[in-house]
Every structure is written in structure tokens, then in C-alpha cells.
Amino acid sequence: MGASITLAGESLIAQKQGAGEKLEIARFVLALVPGLDPNAPVDRAAGKPPVAQIVFTKAYDRKGYVSPNQVIYSLMVGSDIGDWDFNWIGLEAAGGELLAVATVPVQQKRKNIPPLQIGNNVTRNFLVEFNGAQALTGITVDASTWQHDFTVRLNGIDQRERLSNRDVFGRVCFLADSLQMERSFGLYQVKAGIAYVEGVRVQLAEPVQAQLPALPAKAWLDVALVREGSDTVAAWKVVFGEAKTDYVDSNGTAHYVVQLASVAVTGEITDLRQSEPITGALVKQFALRNGDYPELRARATTKEDVDLGELPNAKSDDPSTNSSEILATTKALNALRQIIADSEVGEVFMVAMDTPPPGSFKANGAAVSRTVYARLFAKIGTRYGAGDGVNTFNLPDPRGFFPRFWDDGRGIDAGRVSGSTQADLIRSHTLTGSTSAAGAHTPTAYTDVQGAHTHGVKEGSVGPAGTTGEILTSGDDLTYVVYSYSTTTSAGEHGHNITVNPVPDHVHPVTVSYVGGLETRPQNIAFLACIKY
């Protein structure tokens, strides 16, 4: 069987609400539609069946409200009417608009014709649900006044079940991390799980987002058993305020309000749930066992149990207690470990190994998951890179760098932001150099002594053709030069004077060559940089 408000009905409701007008329902319409599948979803866009398929129309006989958001209309067809079959039921507004439709397997309506045929009565109810249904239709009569009312008996059953749960779980009990508030990708949500509040069982199949007001804020879980059609179901919502208490609403429904979490201005969440580490069947928690039962906290441990002498029975789950009269429980120790681990997330440190220790990454700029490593992402975000922009973010990458403490407003390294890198640089300075003046001076020079000697002198004259000698010119008539030699008088041993002009006062240029390597650095040692997640 399918049932739904039509698109035309949805539009009519919105129109009436917008105009502040009353929604009037006129009649029921019954039809027999060939080939109709009663299990298929209702076609919300379809209108009424053709006139030939409509078998009966009648104004509703009764109307009433079930809740502020639910109203019901009833049709009663006596045994004096028939014969016809139907599998389609429509609820029509006063203006002719088809407001809602329900489909059923083929039903028979037969007229009473004694003694030939025994007739039957048909009663059909149409429950219409939308926000403000009672106010928009103006119905003031409770449906229980004209329908057979099992409310008292059903409420009694619900109340007995609630009180039974209350005896087992107490005022409030969140199972493990059920309904814990967390922050995911900058949004706040309540985790899936099961909780019991004043015996009312609340179950979330998947996480649900919570819209927080201005921070700081304190979140509470508001739980109630409310009527929904012919049933009573658990309803819940997250509310905010510094102090909340149980209350009864205008419909007489009891609401139970318990603390959920507080959120600081920084966005840090403090869990205020009263939770128990229960993740399986309760019978496993309650069952009797032989020997020591580690998860049974309310027992005395004595010499007979562990052969270690008398131990104080006082235990505490508080990791901050400093009392020498109280033993820290495993829960307290785990809570302390969690506090320490949370405080270390985001720390960058060095190790003398080639691989990072457990719980940490190499700080190498790699992209990692935003959800798997949500604690680290909550602290450093996309400061060192946004990864793929959706699912990942980048780790810092200090490889090959010397760390420099963030200036943080001191003014020595102004303009920097935490985590930013800086290129290498040499501070601006002046280099000086000079050469000493050489002064005015005269270089000296000399010639060697050649000893006594003479120099030969060659003399020549032109001779006629055919004379032996050097050829002076060529042609048909050759002319020859005839040479003769003579000597000069000896000059004796002597030298030759050489004069050198003086050089004025002057300086000499200086050439400086490059020294050093590719960078400026002190003596150092290399370790592996890691970041805690």
C-alpha cells in the first residue's frame, strides 16, 4: 500500500500557508484503476483517474487532529451502497485539487440484498501530515473522541517499557561513543549510536549535523515520546543553553533534557555525556563469570582475589585526581593517555632513525587523509598545502632546512607567518681593499761591453756587361755591380748610453677570485624530521 501528498496538494498547502488561508477538504474519491500496482510508490504528479474509472465520491464523515502536524479524515460507507470494487483512494480539496492519494489491493464493496447477498460496510481513514496541519485546517476535535481509542492502553505499555529501561540504564546512559558531538571538516555533528534518556531509547543510524549558535555554546539532548499516527515513537533534538531542565510541552508531552557537550570559543569540544563502554549485548555485561572479571568495576579486590594483600576499594575514573587514597582505573589511565596524545598532535620532532616512530609521519610534505587523520587536520588545516582540496591535506616539509623560531611580533624577522619558508641570504656588507703607493722612481738600464772591434764597409760600382759581380738589373743587356771591401778604424772597448724616463707616482689594480661552495652553513648533523598525528 502506498500513500502520499500529491505535488498539487503540496503546492496548495504552501499557497494557503503563505496567504494565511484555511485549507478545506471536501470529499473522498474512490476508483478502480486497471493494472495498478499497490506496492509501487504513488505518482505524486498524476491527477485523478478518468471519470469512467471513478466508482464513488462522498464528503468525509469525520475529521480530527492526532497531533499539531497530523490531521485525519474518515469515510464511512454503509451496507446500503454497492456494488463496486476500488483500489485507488483520493482526498480532494474544496477547490477540486487532489490533495493526497493512497493505493490498496482491490477491495470489494457489496450492497446488502437479503437473502441473495450480504452487504458490507467500508471505513477508510486518511492521515495527512505536514507542518502546522492542525492550524491550517482549523480542526479542533481530537480524533480519539470519534475513533476507537487505544491511547490509554498503548500509553500504559509505553510507560511500562520506559520505566523498565529506566531501572536498567538509570537517568541517562550513552553506549560507548554513541551521540558524541564531534567536528568534521569544520562542521559539528552527533555520532551514530544508541542512548537511553529516562528510559526512552534513542537510536541514530548515521551521524546527524548540528547547527551551533555563536560560541561558546552548551549542547543538550532533548528526548520525548510523541504520537505519530497510531504509534508512539522516540523524538529527539539538540538544543543549546547554559541550563536546561525537563519540561512538558503544550501538547502534554514530557521532554527529558540531558547534557551532551560544551563547545569553547576556539571550537574545542568537551564531552559531557554520561557514557558506558558497552558495545555489545547487555547480557555479556551482566553475566556471572568465574574468577576476576576485568570490566566489572563495582567489586572489591582483596588478597583472596589476586594474592596481593588488601587494596583500597576506592577507585576513580578522573585522570586529574591527586588523592593517595584513590586508585586510578583503566579508564582514568586511558583518559590521561588520550589527553597526552591529543596534546602532542602536530608536534614536529627529530629522531636518529630512518623511519618515524608509531603515531607519527615523516615530515615530508606528503598528502594524507583529512578524515583518517582528523585530529592533525583540526590543528594544522591546510597551512602546508590543501592536498586535493577535498579529501587530503599536506604535511609540513622541513627537509634540508634549518628551523627558525617564529618572530610572532618581535620585529627581528617581521612579516613572517608560522610555518613559512625563507630563501638563503647573506646580509648586505661592504668589502674594502687597497694597494700601497709605489712613489716616483726611475728604472735603470745598461748595455753590455762588446770589446774592441772594427766594422767592415762594403762599397760597389757598376761594371759593364760580362763583368763578374752581382746582377743589378736584368734584360738583354745585363748590368753588374762590382763590390770591394775596406775596414774602419778600431773604436776600442766601449759601451753605449741608454736613457730611461722616470715613471710617475701610481697604483696597481687588485683582482679578487670567488671562494666557497653552493651555500653558507655551520657544522651540522642530519636527523629525520617527524610530525605527530
Side-chain angles (χ1 to χ4, degrees):
M1 176 176 177
S4 178
I5 294 176
T6 66
L7 295 180
E10 190 176 272
S11 176
L12 178 63
I13 291 169
Q15 176 186 341
K16 295 294 186 182
Q17 287 176 331
E21 298 175 350
K22 182 179 178 181
L23 175 63
E24 294 283 359
I25 300 300
R27 63 190 65 84
F28 278 78
V29 179
L30 279 63
L32 180 63
V33 179
L36 180 65
D37 181 2
N39 297 316
V42 170
D43 184 359
R44 299 179 64 216
K48 289 189 298 184
V51 174
Q53 296 176 5
I54 295 176
V55 296
F56 186 72
T57 60
K58 183 186 177 185
Y60 64 85
D61 293 284
R62 295 286 189 273
K63 64 180 179 179
Y65 71 88
V66 177
S67 72
N69 296 329
Q70 296 172 318
V71 292
I72 191 168
Y73 295 87
S74 285
L75 170 70
M76 290 174 282
V77 184
S79 60
D80 58 332
I81 297 176
D83 293 348
W84 33 266
D85 299 339
F86 67 98
N87 58 2
W88 184 96
I89 307 169
L91 194 62
E92 193 173 54
E97 300 89 349
L98 182 61
L99 184 79
V101 170
T103 57
V104 295
V106 175
Q107 308 287 303
Q108 292 183 337
K109 176 66 185 77
R110 296 295 180 260
K111 184 176 181 179
N112 190 30
I113 309 176
L116 302 177
Q117 178 175 279
I118 299 176
N120 62 330
N121 297 314
V122 170
T123 301
R124 287 292 177 267
N125 298 315
F126 226 125
L127 179 70
V128 183
E129 181 177 8
F130 57 89
N131 288 338
Q134 180 189 358
L136 189 63
T137 57
I139 298 176
T140 58
V141 178
D142 192 323
S144 63
T145 62
W146 50 268
Q147 289 190 325
H148 187 63
D149 189 11
F150 287 93
T151 301
V152 174
R153 182 176 180 185
L154 293 176
N155 282 347
I157 295 173
D158 294 336
Q159 185 71 352
R160 286 194 295 273
E161 180 184 19
R162 185 185 71 80
L163 293 176
S164 177
N165 289 338
R166 177 68 165 80
D167 294 339
V168 174
F169 295 100
R171 159 74 174 173
V172 56
C173 178
F174 295 90
L175 305 188
D177 64 351
S178 296
L179 280 72
Q180 181 179 2
M181 182 169 283
E182 63 179 354
R183 189 175 182 181
S184 178
F185 299 106
L187 300 176
Y188 294 91
Q189 64 180 18
V190 176
K191 289 183 178 180
I194 298 172
Y196 288 85
V197 179
E198 279 293 344
V200 180
R201 186 177 187 271
V202 179
Q203 180 175 11
L204 273 67
E206 57 185 21
V208 176
Q209 286 189 2
Q211 187 65 41
L212 268 67
L215 300 181
K218 188 172 183 180
W220 303 73
L221 187 66
D222 184 329
V223 177
L225 283 174
V226 300
R227 289 179 61 181
E228 187 175 286
S230 59
D231 198 4
T232 300
V233 298
W236 67 273
K237 59 184 176 181
V238 177
V239 296
F240 299 91
E242 189 58 33
K244 294 287 185 180
T245 59
D246 296 348
Y247 66 97
V248 176
D249 64 21
S250 59
N251 293 320
T253 302
H255 290 250
Y256 309 106
V257 187
V258 295
Q259 296 182 105
L260 198 60
S262 64
V263 185
V265 175
T266 60
E268 182 179 359
I269 300 173
T270 301
D271 187 11
L272 300 178
R273 299 171 309 127
Q274 297 181 29
S275 63
E276 296 294 339
I278 301 173
T279 57
L282 291 177
V283 66
K284 294 182 179 179
Q285 305 293 322
F286 300 148
L288 296 176
R289 300 190 179 185
N290 294 327
D292 189 34
Y293 181 25
E295 295 185 33
L296 186 58
R297 293 165 44 198
R299 66 184 296 273
T301 303
T302 64
K303 181 179 179 179
E304 288 73 22
D305 295 314
V306 292
D307 198 27
L308 289 177
E310 294 294 333
L311 295 175
N313 293 327
K315 298 179 182 180
S316 173
D317 291 338
D318 183 5
S320 63
T321 183
N322 198 32
S323 173
S324 61
E325 301 298 323
I326 298 177
L327 291 178
T329 64
T330 301
K331 181 177 180 180
L333 292 177
N334 286 336
L336 180 59
R337 290 178 58 190
Q338 188 64 45
I339 292 171
I340 295 173
D342 289 343
S343 69
E344 292 175 345
V345 172
E347 287 186 2
V348 175
F349 58 96
M350 295 179 291
V351 296
M353 303 178 290
D354 295 336
T355 56
S360 61
F361 285 122
K362 288 183 179 181
N364 60 4
V368 297
S369 171
R370 298 187 181 190
T371 53
V372 177
Y373 304 102
R375 294 193 308 170
L376 179 58
F377 180 65
K379 289 198 174 184
I380 69 173
T382 58
R383 174 178 295 178
Y384 302 101
D388 63 6
V390 178
N391 300 311
T392 62
F393 68 104
N394 292 97
L395 305 175
D397 190 0
R399 294 176 296 173
F401 279 25
F402 288 95
R404 181 175 188 176
F405 293 112
W406 178 34
D407 184 277
D408 195 19
R410 185 175 183 183
I412 296 175
D413 188 23
R416 297 285 301 281
V417 296
S418 177
S420 62
T421 59
Q422 216 174 34
D424 53 353
L425 184 67
I426 297 176
R427 186 170 181 172
S428 176
H429 61 284
T430 302
L431 299 176
T432 61
S434 65
T435 60
S436 301
H441 61 279
T442 301
T444 60
Y446 65 91
T447 63
D448 59 344
V449 177
Q450 297 295 316
H453 62 280
T454 60
H455 297 276
V457 178
K458 181 168 64 173
E459 298 177 352
S461 61
V462 179
T467 306
T468 301
E470 293 183 4
I471 299 175
L472 182 62
T473 60
S474 62
D476 294 337
D477 296 325
L478 297 176
T479 301
Y480 293 86
V481 178
V482 180
Y483 294 98
S484 62
Y485 295 86
S486 62
T487 60
T488 61
T489 304
S490 173
E493 184 176 331
H494 66 282
H496 297 277
N497 294 326
I498 297 175
T499 301
V500 179
N501 292 326
V503 178
D505 190 8
H506 63 283
V507 295
H508 298 277
V510 177
T511 301
V512 180
S513 300
Y514 292 103
V515 295
L518 298 177
E519 60 183 1
T520 301
R521 62 173 179 262
Q523 289 184 328
N524 61 82
I525 185 171
F527 290 117
L528 177 65
C530 305
I531 183 169
K532 183 72 175 176
Y533 64 77

